[in-house]
Amino acid sequence: MKSDAAENAGLDPSRLPVHAAVIMDGNGRWAQKRMLNRIKGHERGADTVRAVVRASREIGIAYLTLYAFSTENWQRPKSEVKALMTLLKRFLASEREEMIQNNIRLQVLGQTHRLPEDVVQGLAEVTEQTRNNDGLCLCLALSYGGRTEIVHAAQNLARQVRDGRMDPEDITEALFSQNLYTAGIPDPELLIRTSGEYRISNFLLWQIAYSEIFVTPTLWPDFTREEFIGILRDFQKRERRFGQVSEQ
Ligand code: FPP
């Protein structure tokens, strides 16, 4: 069924990215262009989230990470932060059943303790209810910052060295990765950013070392399943060399 959907979309199921990550940008501009409140842009953005999650599941992508709220986003006006948290709660309530039915696992990446209590609780419930699912893993980056994530990993490792549980030389790239929020999740082969900005915005700084990057001018609320599939097709045309030459 999964490979059928991929093949029907003109994709080679054996060469899909295992992990696709998305910087969802442009909700505010989408709303401003229509003389609407920015919140309307986020609402439409949540609909795009549903469409891209569904497409990823059907096509057979194993991990989809969405940058839903950065540590910097806490500095937005209180009303906008509140609206984003409300949207998130609504999303969890409306998608809970679908995630359970469709074998989707929810995982959260970030400083969850900073989120409002009811959001933390909703996330914990859905994470627990879906933890044995082995279809798409939907990773929501919430209150997420790449530098903070790296600092936390360094602190964890430093503590273990201080306590005599390992030597500094034991710290390898693999061990460092295991101390990130994404422990156990493969690095994304594909990073998409919408709304035309050529920036990383503190997203998955360690994990995107070798990711193929696609920037589309489309604002996130206008991003469609078809455009997503088009990017996956382009991804399959790119040659990934990891610093080596073609013949290697
Ligand atoms: C960037 O647009 C988007 C965000 C800061 C939040 C992303 C949130 C959603 C897509 C909706 C809710 C999410 C879930 C998972 C239900 P922006 O506001 O920075 O746009 P701008 O750069 O045009 O102002």
Side-chain angles (χ1 to χ4, degrees):
M1 143 80 190
K2 276 178 180 173
S3 56
D4 279 359
E7 274 165 11
N8 290 342
L11 293 164
D12 174 353
S14 69
R15 290 178 53 241
L16 286 168
V18 173
H19 183 176
V22 188
I23 301 175
M24 310 182 288
D25 194 16
N27 294 348
R29 272 162 287 169
W30 182 93
Q32 275 154 10
K33 264 173 52 180
R34 290 162 177 78
M35 313 284 277
L36 295 169
N37 186 300
R38 294 175 55 83
I39 313 301
K40 284 278 166 223
H42 295 313
E43 286 174 8
R44 288 296 289 265
D47 292 338
T48 307
V49 168
R50 290 185 180 88
V52 171
V53 170
R54 181 163 301 159
S56 300
R57 171 178 68 74
E58 289 173 1
I59 287 164
I61 288 172
Y63 297 87
L64 174 71
T65 298
L66 301 177
Y67 202 5
F69 194 86
S70 69
T71 44
E72 292 75 19
N73 287 155
W74 287 116
Q75 282 142 38
R76 293 201 174 190
K78 262 193 182 154
S79 55
E80 186 171 341
V81 171
K82 197 163 171 238
L84 280 166
M85 293 301 145
T86 303
L87 261 181
L88 188 59
K89 274 189 287 175
R90 245 191 259 158
F91 176 82
L92 288 171
S94 67
E95 302 311 293
R96 177 192 303 245
E97 265 320 301
E98 178 150 347
M99 286 195 242
I100 294 170
Q101 298 300 326
N102 290 314
N103 199 21
I104 297 176
R105 180 158 57 99
L106 178 71
Q107 186 158 343
V108 183
L109 313 174
Q111 296 181 303
T112 33
H113 64 274
R114 294 183 68 186
L115 298 165
E117 220 176 289
D118 50 356
V119 174
V120 174
Q121 199 183 328
L123 289 166
E125 278 173 20
V126 181
T127 304
E128 175 57 27
Q129 287 170 328
T130 61
R131 88 188 154 91
N132 292 322
N133 290 351
D134 59 3
L136 171 70
C137 180
L138 171 61
C139 308
L140 290 184
L142 288 167
S143 190
Y144 175 90
R147 286 186 170 183
T148 304
E149 179 183 33
I150 290 171
V151 167
H152 279 168
Q155 288 173 341
N156 274 343
L157 294 166
R159 249 179 250 118
Q160 294 178 48
V161 172
R162 181 196 61 195
D163 298 345
R165 285 184 277 152
M166 66 178 180
D167 293 325
E169 291 71 27
D170 294 334
I171 300 173
T172 58
E173 289 187 12
L175 186 65
F176 203 93
S177 294
Q178 283 166 32
N179 282 271
L180 298 170
Y181 303 134
T182 48
I185 298 175
D187 290 342
E189 300 99 317
L190 170 63
L191 173 68
I192 300 172
R193 181 170 188 141
T194 59
S195 96
E197 312 280 359
Y198 287 75
R199 278 196 296 273
I200 297 301
S201 302
N202 204 12
F203 187 46
L204 300 179
L205 295 181
W206 172 279
Q207 298 88 337
I208 60 167
Y210 293 103
S211 304
E212 293 290 328
I213 301 178
F214 287 77
V215 176
T216 166
T218 307
L219 304 176
W220 179 250
D222 289 329
F223 191 73
T224 59
R225 176 192 178 95
E226 288 66 36
E227 184 166 4
F228 183 49
I229 289 169
I231 291 175
L232 292 172
R233 275 198 217 109
D234 280 358
F235 170 83
Q236 295 198 328
K237 284 186 212 138
R238 286 199 194 177
E239 184 190 18
R240 305 187 68 224
R241 291 205 302 269
F242 303 97
Q244 303 179 12
V245 294
S246 303
E247 300 80 57
Q248 277 182 297

